[in-house]
Amino acid sequence: MEEMEEELKCPVCGSFYREPIILPCSHNLCQACARNILVQTPDSESPQSRRASGSAVSDYDYLDLDKMSLYSEADSGYGSYGGFASAPTTPCQKSPNGVRVFPPAAPPPPAALAPPPPPRNACLTCPQCHRSLVLDERGLRGFPRNRLLEGVIDRYQQGRAAALRCQLCEKAPKEAAVMCEQCDVFYCDPCRLRCHPPRGPLAKHRLVPPAQGRVSRRLSPRKISTCTDHELENHSMYCVQCKSPVCYQCLEEGKHSSHEVKALGAMWKLHKSQLSQALNGLSDRAKEAKEFLVQLRNMVQQIQENSVEFEACLVAQCDALIDALNRRKAQLLSRVNKEHEHKLKVVRDQISHCTVKLRQTTGLMEYCLEVIKENDPSGFLQISDALIRRVHLTEDQWGKGTLTPRMTTDFDLNLDNAPLLQSIHQLDFVQMKVSSPVPAPPILQLEECCTHNNSATLSWKQPPLSTVQVEGYILELDDGNGGQFREVYVGKETMCTVDGLHFNSTYSARVKAFNKSGVSPYSKTLVLQTSEVAWFSFDPASAHADIIFSNDNLTVTCNSYDDRVVLGKTGFSKGLHYWELSIDRYDNHPDPAFGVARIDVLKDAMLGKDDKAWAMYVDNNRSWFMHNNSHTNRTEGGITKGATVGVLLDLTRRTLTFSINEDQQGPVAFENLEGLFFPAVSLNRNVQVTLHTGLPVPEFYASRSAMP
């Protein structure tokens, strides 16, 4: 529990959070601390005015400019925005947690009973991630209150309290004897007789022992969080797009009309489950870290024992020699001690680093476990996404090589006392262990190396006459554009298949071997060409369970009257790709949809209902383009049995175009596409389609591409 305390303290004041608010960057601040570090910016220099005036600086450029202006090596803290005439110039200060923040604003005059409103263009910089946030007209009220964090802090402080004290003693409070459940007050015996006599209306009050009273107070229902925009309304639903609880009045006003809204309780349970699953992986990393620390501490002891043994052996050898060896002996002992200290320093530094990371990981785990205990769905959902991201990020930090010792315990030195006395001045250490030579470079087997679609398979072997032991191999590929090489495989196998490459690209591959003695030179570089066009089928692994496959997964239908989604096996992030779908069955005028989607698209709704798909859905008369449940460009021309729907994805121009029976449907359907896209279809039991791939670009698009 003590390691969780770091999660419960404000980075500005260093104390437990008081009235914490959640910033958009997922960090927390005391409301008073947030008010103290506000910075006023002029109207002409606010990010909104810069965008309104047509400035070429994007949001990301603005953030980069902000970071450049806020950092300086002179003060190592935060300054003002570059060019802001009204920005403060007072040097920054350090909070008790070591985070540098702006100095507190000047205190209000004595007559002011309420905190002043934030300036019109107020800017707040998060003291943890350094992200700058511009406040709207609501000021700090626009940030939600983190009531769940307050509850965790209350439980933590109650758990640390040694004894409950009377709340009515005027001087040194005595230990409480009883608690009144109706008054919610702890009394010692004298204060109970004086302030809570057992007569009159107070005779009906129930007095319980202090420990029982503390438990009943802890289990009492907490205040339900209210909506930020409508303070009299409780949260009842959850907006998936905004990732925020909302009230029914928010829905009536239409703020989330095009968003997916789900029940608050269902999302509360779902996010609790996701956080619990994420904690399982982090728990495994923490367990490995504890075992690794034990291994490192054992290494320290073993290094010390080996050092003592090595020194004793060295002294015995040197004492057996004539006096001429004494001067050289001191030099050799110095070198041994230096090696000893170096090994200890490396291992102790690794222990220190791993201990800090383990403490942070354990603190986060304890904090998350306390959060999971919370019964306030709204408060939990306010921070659940941020906590899930933090848990995954912390787990990723325990990556490759973190839990591997950086130093061995052996002293690879040996004293050679064979030379004659006249060679004593040349006496030096030689290696105690004879290392094996470095392996020879591997040989790529060209007859077994090949490409298929956007994957490449490579095979290699050691030279036939090589007898040097090999412990593993490292395979490297460039980026397909002649850029830098990167490791794609490390292991003992001599064959590897690399998936997810770009289509119509040229890759260079090379491999090297390694053992304890070192790494071999690289093999000769092999050039591989991925397919110009893609050959693929539908993917049963990612499809909805109602989808029925046939014809080697090239033909699909459905056993449900509701729309279900199926994706192709191959994803595209680069190049020009075209495929067609023939309509084998079309009964009762259904509305199938064709297009592309992300891998995590909804599988139980029509394609294009969420923001993860771009599609054209058609009936027997017309077709529409749809993305995120928004319809555009209604065109004449539907489908019937035997029709062919073409989908053309041009990731060079970042566009998506559709055709029916080789006639283009309207203009370009979607533009500015970027990322990884999978072919996708949504259909029900009234439709059956067959996929055709590896096709050339249609004439209507080829002629347009040839135009300057």
Side-chain angles (χ1 to χ4, degrees):
M1 291 291 288
E2 290 76 8
E3 294 176 333
M4 185 178 64
E5 186 170 318
E6 184 177 338
E7 295 280 341
L8 308 181
K9 290 187 176 181
C10 174
V12 176
C13 63
S15 303
F16 288 107
Y17 287 105
R18 296 183 296 274
E19 298 183 359
I21 59 176
I22 307 175
L23 303 181
C25 58
S26 305
H27 293 116
N28 298 284
L29 278 180
C30 298
Q31 193 169 33
C33 296
R35 188 178 296 111
N36 284 341
I37 65 175
L38 284 177
V39 178
Q40 183 175 4
T41 63
D43 291 345
S44 61
E45 295 294 339
S46 66
Q48 293 92 335
S49 62
R50 291 166 67 103
R51 287 192 288 266
S53 62
S55 172
V57 181
S58 67
D59 290 343
Y60 294 101
D61 295 333
Y62 183 80
L63 290 176
D64 292 338
L65 175 63
D66 172 54
K67 292 178 181 178
M68 291 173 60
S69 61
L70 292 181
Y71 290 104
S72 70
E73 295 184 357
D75 57 12
S76 298
Y78 296 101
S80 61
Y81 281 87
F84 288 179
S86 61
T89 58
T90 309
C92 66
Q93 299 176 350
K94 271 190 177 182
S95 74
N97 281 3
V99 179
R100 293 172 173 83
V101 297
F102 286 113
L113 299 179
R120 180 179 178 187
N121 289 317
C123 177
L124 178 66
T125 300
C126 175
Q128 290 183 286
C129 67
H130 316 313
R131 179 180 176 184
S132 294
L133 312 167
V134 179
L135 278 63
D136 56 18
E137 63 277 359
R138 296 177 297 174
L140 294 177
R141 292 187 297 106
F143 300 130
R145 179 91 166 266
N146 195 341
R147 299 187 183 278
L148 193 144
L149 177 57
E150 291 181 288
V152 174
I153 293 174
D154 290 342
R155 291 199 300 268
Y156 180 76
Q157 291 179 323
Q158 290 174 3
R160 294 180 58 189
L164 295 170
R165 301 291 177 179
C166 176
Q167 295 176 284
L168 297 180
C169 290
E170 296 181 355
K171 295 182 180 179
K174 299 179 181 178
E175 186 173 346
V178 295
M179 173 197 171
C180 177
E181 289 188 337
Q182 285 71 29
C183 301
D184 195 19
V185 175
F186 290 93
Y187 299 95
C188 63
D189 286 331
C191 291
R192 178 177 61 82
L193 295 175
R194 177 169 53 86
C195 303
H196 199 287
R199 58 182 178 273
L202 299 179
K204 298 181 180 181
H205 287 197
R206 183 186 176 196
L207 302 178
V208 298
Q212 180 180 346
R214 179 167 63 181
V215 172
S216 62
R217 174 186 287 183
R218 184 184 306 171
L219 298 178
S220 61
R222 300 190 179 275
K223 181 179 178 181
I224 300 177
S225 300
T226 57
C227 180
T228 305
D229 297 328
H230 311 98
E231 297 182 354
L232 299 180
E233 301 296 338
N234 295 332
H235 292 139
S236 58
M237 302 294 288
Y238 181 81
C239 178
V240 177
Q241 276 75 12
C242 300
K243 297 183 179 180
S244 172
V246 295
C247 68
Y248 83 94
Q249 193 167 346
C250 292
L251 301 178
E252 289 184 350
E253 292 176 356
K255 295 181 179 179
H256 307 272
S257 58
S258 63
H259 296 178
E260 182 182 2
V261 179
K262 293 190 177 181
L264 192 68
M267 293 302 294
W268 171 45
K269 293 179 180 179
L270 175 62
H271 281 220
K272 271 197 173 185
S273 175
Q274 291 176 351
L275 181 57
S276 298
Q277 293 175 2
L279 278 177
N280 290 335
L282 189 59
S283 176
D284 293 339
R285 295 295 179 272
K287 182 179 178 181
E288 293 176 6
K290 291 179 181 178
E291 296 173 353
F292 180 61
L293 284 174
V294 173
Q295 179 185 355
L296 293 179
R297 293 189 178 100
N298 291 337
M299 287 180 64
V300 171
Q301 182 178 359
Q302 191 173 356
I303 289 174
Q304 291 174 335
E305 293 174 356
N306 289 348
S307 174
V308 172
E309 180 181 354
F310 191 86
E311 287 184 8
C313 179
L314 178 63
V315 170
Q317 288 179 334
C318 290
D319 288 343
L321 300 176
I322 60 176
D323 295 340
L325 293 175
N326 288 335
R327 292 187 298 271
R328 190 62 175 169
K329 180 179 67 174
Q331 297 176 2
L332 297 176
L333 284 173
S334 175
R335 288 183 56 184
V336 172
N337 289 329
K338 184 177 180 181
E339 179 74 5
H340 170 209
E341 295 299 327
H342 171 67
K343 286 180 177 289
L344 289 181
K345 182 179 184 302
V346 172
V347 176
R348 284 169 175 163
D349 288 346
Q350 194 172 9
I351 289 176
S352 176
H353 176 71
C354 188
T355 301
V356 171
K357 290 188 66 175
L358 178 60
R359 185 179 69 250
Q360 294 173 348
T361 299
T362 307
L364 178 60
M365 289 171 54
E366 292 180 352
Y367 171 58
C368 291
L369 291 174
E370 288 297 322
V371 168
I372 291 176
K373 296 177 184 177
E374 186 56 46
N375 294 323
D376 179 7
S378 176
F380 179 85
L381 290 174
Q382 285 180 332
I383 67 171
S384 58
D385 280 307
L387 280 180
I388 292 171
R389 287 195 303 271
R390 289 187 60 190
V391 168
H392 284 303
L393 179 61
T394 304
E395 181 182 0
D396 292 340
Q397 290 176 352
W398 293 98
K400 175 184 176 183
T402 306
L403 302 181
T404 302
R406 300 174 185 170
M407 181 60 63
T408 64
T409 60
D410 295 330
F411 284 73
D412 297 332
L413 301 171
N414 186 23
L415 186 64
D416 183 11
N417 57 0
L420 298 175
L421 292 179
Q422 59 267 30
S423 301
I424 288 178
H425 67 282
Q426 297 178 349
L427 189 64
D428 203 347
F429 289 109
V430 295
Q431 289 186 340
M432 181 174 59
K433 297 180 180 179
V434 179
S435 300
S436 59
V438 173
I443 299 175
L444 286 167
Q445 302 188 82
L446 303 182
E447 65 278 4
E448 297 185 17
C449 297
C450 62
T451 60
H452 175 70
N453 270 351
N454 62 336
S455 65
T457 299
L458 296 110
S459 177
W460 58 89
K461 63 180 181 180
Q462 283 299 109
L465 300 180
S466 176
T467 59
V468 178
Q469 183 179 3
V470 176
E471 295 185 0
Y473 300 92
I474 300 174
L475 175 63
E476 297 182 356
L477 258 67
D478 67 356
D479 60 359
N481 291 318
Q484 292 184 346
F485 282 86
R486 68 188 191 282
E487 292 184 4
V488 295
Y489 171 76
V490 177
K492 297 182 179 180
E493 300 296 331
T494 58
M495 178 176 289
C496 176
T497 298
V498 183
D499 298 317
L501 304 177
H502 296 305
F503 281 91
N504 196 21
S505 298
T506 301
Y507 287 87
S508 297
R510 63 187 185 184
V511 64
K512 57 184 177 181
F514 65 87
N515 61 13
K516 291 183 179 180
S517 299
V519 181
S520 75
Y522 285 106
S523 66
K524 293 183 179 180
T525 301
L526 176 64
V527 178
L528 300 166
Q529 173 71 42
T530 55
S531 300
E532 183 176 356
V533 295
W535 299 82
F536 60 92
S537 60
F538 289 114
D539 183 15
S542 62
H544 192 278
D546 293 339
I547 297 294
I548 301 174
F549 295 84
S550 60
N551 189 23
D552 293 331
N553 297 333
L554 292 175
T555 301
V556 292
T557 184
C558 181
N559 61 12
S560 171
Y561 284 108
D562 296 323
D563 290 307
R564 299 294 186 246
V565 172
V566 57
L567 301 180
K569 275 191 174 182
T570 302
F572 304 112
S573 60
K574 181 182 177 183
L576 178 62
H577 308 280
Y578 177 71
W579 61 93
E580 292 180 347
L581 300 113
S582 58
I583 310 301
D584 303 331
R585 187 176 72 250
Y586 188 81
D587 303 329
N588 301 324
H589 308 295
D591 297 331
F594 311 90
V596 297
R598 307 290 190 193
I599 189 64
D600 55 345
V601 66
L602 292 176
K603 305 297 193 307
D604 56 356
M606 178 182 287
L607 201 66
K609 286 290 186 180
D610 60 0
D611 61 348
K612 304 296 178 61
W614 295 257
M616 175 184 73
Y617 75 95
V618 292
D619 58 19
N620 59 332
N621 294 317
R622 299 177 180 84
S623 62
W624 295 264
F625 303 145
M626 184 165 63
H627 170 64
N628 201 14
N629 208 23
S630 176
H631 305 158
T632 59
N633 294 336
R634 174 177 169 180
T635 61
E636 299 295 332
I639 61 173
T640 59
K641 179 179 178 180
T644 299
V645 176
V647 183
L648 196 150
L649 178 63
D650 188 347
L651 291 174
T652 302
R653 298 183 178 182
R654 299 162 57 191
T655 60
L656 181 64
T657 308
F658 297 97
S659 64
I660 297 179
N661 296 329
E662 298 185 356
D663 292 331
Q664 182 176 351
Q665 295 298 293
V668 172
F670 300 101
E671 297 178 325
N672 300 321
L673 299 180
E674 188 172 358
L676 180 64
F677 301 93
F678 289 82
V681 177
S682 67
L683 43 71
N684 60 21
R685 66 185 305 165
N686 292 318
V687 182
Q688 177 175 302
V689 300
T690 297
L691 177 66
H692 305 277
T693 61
L695 303 176
V697 177
E699 292 183 1
F700 73 84
Y701 197 83
S703 59
R704 190 179 70 181
S705 301
M707 297 175 62

